[in-house]
Amino acid sequence: MAETKLALHVTPRSGRDCVSGISHKEEPLGTEVCVRVTAPPDGGKANKAVCKLLAAELGVPKGKVKVLRGDTSRHKLVVVPLDEASLKKWMDALPVV
């Protein structure tokens, strides 16, 4: 199966776990999916929560969603086991924030 990279902006210690929308920013960040998780950024807890949330949202196994870059940053790059067309369709349904 194809894998696609996805840029995220993560807000830890949020009131709930959710994908809140798409943020269009100037380069070098570009377009990011905004994700909120209740987990704190302590010992990788927020990263695990992000992977679990994205897996549930996209209907893929949570072990297949991995953080490639940004372990200690709010700006992350993750890889998901979906082709670009499927991921784009999912992103197009998200609101712009």
Side-chain angles (χ1 to χ4, degrees), residues 1-94:
M1 176 169 272
E3 291 185 335
T4 306
K5 294 176 184 173
L6 178 64
L8 303 177
H9 180 269
V10 177
T11 304
R13 289 192 177 125
S14 178
R16 62 189 172 120
D17 291 344
C18 69
V19 176
S20 56
I22 298 286
S23 172
H24 298 290
K25 298 182 180 175
E26 299 291 323
E27 292 297 329
L29 298 177
T31 301
E32 294 179 313
V33 175
C34 298
V35 178
R36 298 177 179 272
V37 292
T38 56
D42 180 39
K45 292 177 185 174
N47 290 340
K48 288 178 186 174
V50 166
C51 292
K52 182 178 176 183
L53 175 63
L54 283 178
E57 285 280 326
L58 297 170
V60 298
K62 66 181 174 184
K64 298 288 184 179
V65 179
K66 304 231 185 278
V67 176
L68 294 179
R69 186 175 66 219
D71 283 335
T72 60
S73 172
R74 287 177 181 253
H75 302 282
K76 301 185 185 302
L77 185 66
V78 298
V79 64
V80 294
L82 284 177
D83 58 87
E84 285 189 41
S86 299
L87 190 61
K88 183 175 177 355
K89 183 178 176 184
W90 174 75
M91 288 174 63
D92 287 344
L94 296 174

